[in-house]
């Protein structure tokens, strides 16, 4: 009797197509990788394309720690129209002539939305309010408020400003932008808030995520490419790319494997998750410094 082949472990960097939910991509990958043990780090809206990091088998243990890293996006913001969802998926709720908005005013509005800011997420989002997803409340017509939360927009650049005419004949402006931000930042909320600041309304019409932490779009593969050849980044390589590396000797590796909390070098204090490797280059665990000792976050070897 032939035994079932063991599915490989690793990260898969997918170039998500538009129109797919992140869950749709996971479902498709379960078929491609022939395993149910697949998760993703950092959801992308159905309209958005680009980098979606999936973990297969043991690599799923890395995902929660990867989700907290910095993200980079390219997008298009339309000034002159608000929508229910703050993006092109939702119906238009208001229109205003944006043709008189100056580049100086746009730059000033963008500057206010750069740095450490308080952001109110879009109502049609996956955030839970009292245990119920915000989009569910919004679709049921509920009136509710989402509290603002701190996010960091380390870079918000406008590359191009294009005159356009909306379907209803309203003169609008389309801004081509790039954003580098912390996890949990909504780019469509930036579009909404920029439009509000300029007094004409705004929403996101296109979005492409080009980076999640160290994983960039040039290493991403489409679902069709992955169907033809499953390209996976081994867990050890993925951990080395994303976290500081701590090489331990054979004795410490043995102690760590036996559940002993190792003394951690001061250099890793406050560094967040650290990847531990034995002398043979085996990835042992993801740990973080806690009272000078290595507290295990996830064990691999």
């Amino acid at each position: 009797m032939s035994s079932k082949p063991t599915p490989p472990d690793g990260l898969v960097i997918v170039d998500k197509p538009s129109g797919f939910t992140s869950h749709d991509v996971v479902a498709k990958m379960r078929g491609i990788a022939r395993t149910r043990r697949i998760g993703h780090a950092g959801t992308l809206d159905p309209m958005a394309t680009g980098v979606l990091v999936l973990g297969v088998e043991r690599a799923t243990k890395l995902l929660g720690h990867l989700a907290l890293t910095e993200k980079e996006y390219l997008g298009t913001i339309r000034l002159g129209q608000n929508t229910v969802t703050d993006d092109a998926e939702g119906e238009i709720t208001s229109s205003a002539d944006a043709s008189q908005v100056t580049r100086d005013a746009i730059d000033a509005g963008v500057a206010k939305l750069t740095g450490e800011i308080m952001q109110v997420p879009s109502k049609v989002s996956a955030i839970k309010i009292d245990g119920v997803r915000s989009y569910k409340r919004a679709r049921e017509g509920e009136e509710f408020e989402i509290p603002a939360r701190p996010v960091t927009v380390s870079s918000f650049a406008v590359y191009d400003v294009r005159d356009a005419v909306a379907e209803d004949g309203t003169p609008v402006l389309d801004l081509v932008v790039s954003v580098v931000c912390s996890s949990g930042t909504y780019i469509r909320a930036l579009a909404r808030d920029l439009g509000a600041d300029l007094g004409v309304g705004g929403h996101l019409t296109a979005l492409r995520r080009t980076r999640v932490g160290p994983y960039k779009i040039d290493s991403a593969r489409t679902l069709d490419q992955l169907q033809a050849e499953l390209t996976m980044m081994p867990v050890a390589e993925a951990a080395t790319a994303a976290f500081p590396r701590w090489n331990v000797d054979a004795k410490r590796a043995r102690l760590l494997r036996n559940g002993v909390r190792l003394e951690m070098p001061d250099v890793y204090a406050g560094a967040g998750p650290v990847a531990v490797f034995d002398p043979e280059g085996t990835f042992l665990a993801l740990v973080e410094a806690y009272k000078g000792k290595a507290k295990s976050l996830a064990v691999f070897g």
Side-chain angles (χ1 to χ4, degrees):
M1 225 172 90
S2 67
S3 61
K4 193 179 170 193
T6 309
D9 302 292
L11 287 189
V12 180
I13 317 301
V14 180
D15 184 350
K16 186 186 92 64
S18 185
F20 273 58
T21 65
S22 299
H23 190 266
D24 291 339
V25 175
V26 168
K28 184 97 171 143
M29 274 305 304
R30 281 179 175 148
I32 293 171
R34 295 191 173 90
T35 175
R36 295 217 37 89
R37 198 174 166 201
I38 293 182
H40 66 83
T43 304
L44 271 180
D45 287 333
M47 181 187 91
T49 67
V51 176
L52 186 67
V53 178
L54 301 189
V56 179
E57 291 292 320
R58 291 187 312 153
T60 54
K61 295 191 224 173
L62 288 178
L63 296 177
H65 308 290
L66 291 173
L68 306 174
T69 50
E70 194 175 67
K71 317 279 198 307
E72 197 168 321
Y73 297 89
L74 283 175
T76 307
I77 293 171
R78 173 158 286 188
L79 295 178
Q81 290 181 318
N82 283 318
T83 73
V84 174
T85 54
D86 302 328
D87 65 16
E89 303 272 277
E91 64 190 64
I92 294 161
T93 54
S94 68
S95 295
D97 182 343
S99 60
Q100 301 309 307
V101 176
T102 65
R103 177 64 197 250
D104 284 349
I106 291 167
D107 289 343
V110 163
K112 290 180 199 171
L113 294 168
T114 306
E116 292 182 7
I117 62 170
M118 294 299 288
Q119 184 182 70
V120 176
S122 299
K123 286 201 169 178
V124 183
S125 67
I127 284 174
K128 286 186 175 176
I129 309 287
D130 298 330
V132 180
R133 297 232 181 251
S134 176
Y135 62 73
K136 193 166 186 296
R137 289 181 181 272
R139 283 182 189 140
E140 287 167 3
E142 240 184 89
E143 284 297 318
F144 63 98
E145 293 301 318
I146 302 181
R149 51 193 202 159
V151 297
T152 303
V153 178
S154 38
S155 165
F156 188 173
V158 179
Y159 287 121
D160 199 7
V161 180
R162 299 170 183 166
D163 292 301
V165 179
E167 284 179 11
D168 64 1
T170 304
V172 294
L173 292 178
D174 286 340
L175 314 183
V176 180
V177 302
S178 83
V179 178
V180 180
C181 56
S182 62
S183 182
T185 307
Y186 282 84
I187 310 302
R188 53 197 166 110
L190 291 178
R192 173 200 68 203
D193 294 346
L194 179 61
D197 182 67
L198 295 167
V200 292
H203 70 281
L204 194 66
T205 57
L207 187 66
R208 183 159 178 76
R209 187 156 70 192
T210 53
R211 178 171 68 84
V212 172
Y215 312 116
K216 297 178 182 172
I217 195 71
D218 55 12
S219 62
R221 297 286 176 269
T222 65
L223 289 170
D224 286 347
Q225 286 171 326
L226 290 164
Q227 183 81 64
E229 183 191 356
L230 181 54
T231 313
M232 204 175 286
M233 187 183 291
V235 178
E237 191 183 317
T240 302
F243 306 108
R245 181 177 174 131
W246 178 22
N247 296 308
V248 297
D249 58 25
K251 182 186 172 186
R252 284 191 178 87
R254 195 163 54 250
L255 289 169
L256 185 69
R257 282 191 172 104
N258 289 331
V260 175
R261 280 195 177 185
L262 303 178
E263 292 282 340
M264 230 171 146
D266 290 344
V267 69
Y268 298 116
V274 174
V276 186
F277 287 79
D278 73 6
E280 277 75 55
T282 305
F283 176 36
L284 301 179
L286 205 57
V287 302
E288 73 180 352
Y290 179 71
K291 294 182 177 174
K293 298 277 183 80
K295 178 187 171 189
S296 282
L297 300 172
V299 178
F300 292 86

